[in-house]
Amino acid sequence: MTEFARPERPTSPGKATVLVVDDSATKRYLLVSWLTRAGFSVVEAETGGEALRKLAEDDIEADLVVLDVKLPDMSGFEVCERIKTDSRYGVLPVIHVSAHAVDVNDRTQGLNRGADAYLVEPIEPDELIATAQAVLRYYRARQRAELLAARMVRLAETTLAINSASTLPELLEAAALGAADIFGGPVVVVAETSEGESLAAAGPPPVVRKWAVPRHRVAVGSLVRTDETADWDVVEWPAGETVAVAAARLRVDRPPVYVAVSGSSQTPGFPVLRQLSQAVAAAVEAQRSFDEEHRIAVTLQRSLLQSRLPEVPGIELAVRYEPAGAQTEVGGDFYELTVLDGKLLVAIGDVAGHSLHAATVMAELRHAVRAYAVEGHSPGAVLELANRFMRTVLPTDSATLCLFTLDPATGRIRMASAGHLPPLLHVDGEVHYLKPRGALLGLDAPARAEQELELPRGGTLVLYTDGLIERRDADIDDGLRALAACAAEVEPDLDAFCSRLLTQLGGSGDQADDIAVVALRRI
């Protein structure tokens, strides 16, 4: 059986255990008899040392200590003080009893050193029982309040952690860690992804895996039920344990979220477990909504990108598009390769922002660029028309764009750029960046100048968006140098070349921005 840290033990009004400490066998007999008849479970110790040893070594789990003041090895005052100050003994109430005449100073000393009550013989049985019950009532109420307060603090920390998670598996793991910290022992947290796959974080330590909860009807709202451990065999439970299961459902069209913990860890009403399940459900709902929007946006963005490249005699083409990681919103990167009047039109751009709106603006801009190019305008003129279109129709948006035409027969290129990153040219093993200049689209700026050059046979031109080279913790010039070094050698297969660029420069699937790469070679 897996060993778990002992949780804070919720107090219950059940049978209490009393440790009676007295060196007088006769007096112990009386005290034990009275307490036993009153329904207490009683354990005896003859000396202070024996009592401390039993408490420290977990020989017993006492709820109350009835302690004689005069003991053969140490005073009852000292024993009481050690019980109250040493964490090994837990939080225990102590009642002093004395068979000798005592004055006010003795009683004051006992109470000042930690005792909760002081009884002087002759002690009436009813007085002893009433005092024991009153002390236990107070301690149980105090322990419940302290336990609830501590758990509420941990609940707040767990709620912050789950709402900071960037993916559903991370969220479930954070919830399971928090539940284990709050309640101790094994925990299971279950939720469904936006695709309908059921995941469970079970532990500790929490491990996320596919696992489905046996079907139960769960209405909108929250409930707590008690299950058998066999229904939750995704984790190993202590022998004889039951499972307290909190189920929370925020919408009728959403599946419930479950948090399962040891039944023995719970207090009446399950207040913290209920709130934890509701916090997890709210965080899961937000994550599911985000995942659904991201998936829709990526699907839309991919549908708007070219699925088939044109076949151009004398020109080899390759493209790569890698969306940002699932934890980020979709961007507005796009590319276009089209043959118009025997020339290859190549465009690559990036709409500012990361959202579904950016993807739709990208679609509008891409279609506008194609329409203006079909009309026969030069690259510089297309940029000016696209800029006018954005300032008129999309006045709050901006974008970068690099556009050129290539004559396959001669290799002549006519290029213009609106604030886009410089294309990289590889010729005969040497690389350098081209420098077409112009303000980004969406601004009232001077006309974007055109640049003309010739792409020699065997030369390779690489266009890209900022996701390939920009990192939050590095200067953009470092990224440009890294790209130049990576492109110093170009594979015979351009597809393999583009794949290597993404692998080495950031296409790991969890990058913070979309990546688009276009490579063409004159053969």
Side-chain angles (χ1 to χ4, degrees), residues 478-497:
D478 295 335
L480 291 171
R481 284 191 289 269
L483 173 58
C486 193
E489 180 180 349
V490 179
E491 284 84 344
D493 183 351
L494 272 190
D495 282 321
F497 170 65

Side-chain angles (χ1 to χ4, degrees), residues 36 57-58 73 89 120 148 150 247 266 273 287 294 307 367 429 467:
T36 301
E57 295 176 357
D58 285 338
D73 55 342
Y89 307 121
V120 180
L148 181 59
Q266 295 306 295
L273 182 60
Q287 184 66 53
H294 187 269
S307 59
H367 292 311

Side-chain angles (χ1 to χ4, degrees), residues 206-410:
V207 176
V208 179
R209 68 196 75 178
K210 295 180 183 178
W211 189 79
V213 177
R215 290 296 177 185
H216 294 273
R217 283 187 175 274
V218 178
V220 173
S222 66
L223 62 85
V224 179
R225 66 173 189 258
T226 300
D227 284 358
E228 297 299 324
T229 56
D231 295 331
W232 294 83
D233 57 2
V234 69
V235 72
E236 193 172 8
W237 302 89
E241 185 63 86
T242 59
V243 184
V245 182
R249 190 173 192 174
L250 300 186
R251 291 167 38 178
V252 69
D253 60 334
R254 297 294 203 201
V257 168
Y258 299 90
V259 180
V261 299
S262 297
S264 62
S265 68
Q266 295 306 295
T267 53
F270 312 99
V272 180
L273 182 60
R274 285 181 181 274
Q275 292 190 48
L276 176 60
S277 68
Q278 292 167 353
V280 174
V284 168
E285 176 61 25
Q287 184 66 53
R288 282 172 57 96
S289 298
F290 180 85
D291 290 343
E292 288 175 355
E293 179 182 340
H294 187 269
R295 186 177 67 255
I296 292 170
V298 169
T299 301
L300 171 63
Q301 188 176 33
R302 286 190 179 278
S303 70
L304 296 173
L305 295 173
Q306 278 181 274
S307 59
R308 185 175 180 180
L309 300 181
E311 295 182 4
V312 183
I315 302 295
E316 183 181 356
L317 299 172
V319 299
R320 285 290 184 278
Y321 171 75
E322 187 71 31
Q327 71 273 21
T328 60
E329 294 182 305
V330 71
D333 293 18
F334 69 96
Y335 57 84
E336 177 70 33
L337 296 97
T338 306
V339 177
L340 299 174
D341 298 328
K343 294 183 179 180
L344 176 65
L345 173 73
V346 179
I348 190 167
D350 186 1
V351 174
H354 295 82
S355 63
L356 187 57
H357 174 73
T360 57
V361 171
M362 173 270 286
E364 293 187 71
L365 178 59
R366 176 178 171 233
H367 292 311
V369 168
R370 292 175 68 183
Y372 294 137
V374 167
E375 291 178 352
H377 298 288
S378 68
V382 169
L383 291 187
E384 296 313 308
L385 291 168
N387 186 59
R388 186 172 66 183
F389 166 78
M390 288 197 65
R391 294 188 62 210
T392 303
V393 180
L394 304 165
T396 61
D397 295 293
S398 61
T400 66
L401 178 63
C402 182
L403 174 70
F404 67 86
T405 56
L406 168 64
D407 185 340
T410 63

Side-chain angles (χ1 to χ4, degrees), residues 41-162:
S41 175
V42 184
V43 181
E44 302 177 47
E46 189 172 349
T47 66
E50 181 186 359
L52 293 175
R53 185 169 59 255
K54 285 186 174 183
L55 292 173
E57 295 176 357
D58 285 338
D59 287 350
I60 60 170
E61 237 179 43
D63 300 291
L64 171 67
V65 179
V66 175
L67 178 62
D68 187 18
V69 172
K70 302 293 184 180
L71 294 171
D73 55 342
M74 63 183 78
S75 74
F77 298 144
E78 183 181 350
V79 175
C80 177
E81 192 169 45
R82 289 175 63 174
I83 289 174
K84 295 293 187 176
T85 58
D86 194 325
S87 60
R88 291 179 300 167
Y89 307 121
V91 180
L92 285 174
V94 176
I95 298 175
H96 272 318
V97 294
S98 176
H100 306 279
V102 294
D103 59 21
V104 173
N105 290 333
D106 290 325
R107 292 196 296 271
T108 301
Q109 180 182 184
L111 295 173
N112 284 339
R113 296 179 73 171
D116 298 275
Y118 199 118
L119 300 177
V120 180
E121 291 194 353
I123 302 171
E124 292 295 329
D126 290 344
E127 181 185 16
L128 172 65
I129 302 308
T131 303
Q133 291 173 340
V135 168
L136 283 172
R137 280 198 303 272
Y138 166 76
Y139 262 78
R140 283 171 173 163
R142 172 184 163 186
Q143 286 180 321
R144 284 195 297 269
E146 291 176 348
L147 177 61
L148 181 59
R151 287 183 169 182
M152 292 301 291
V153 170
R154 294 172 188 168
L155 174 64
E157 295 170 347
T158 301
T159 301
L160 178 61
I162 63 178

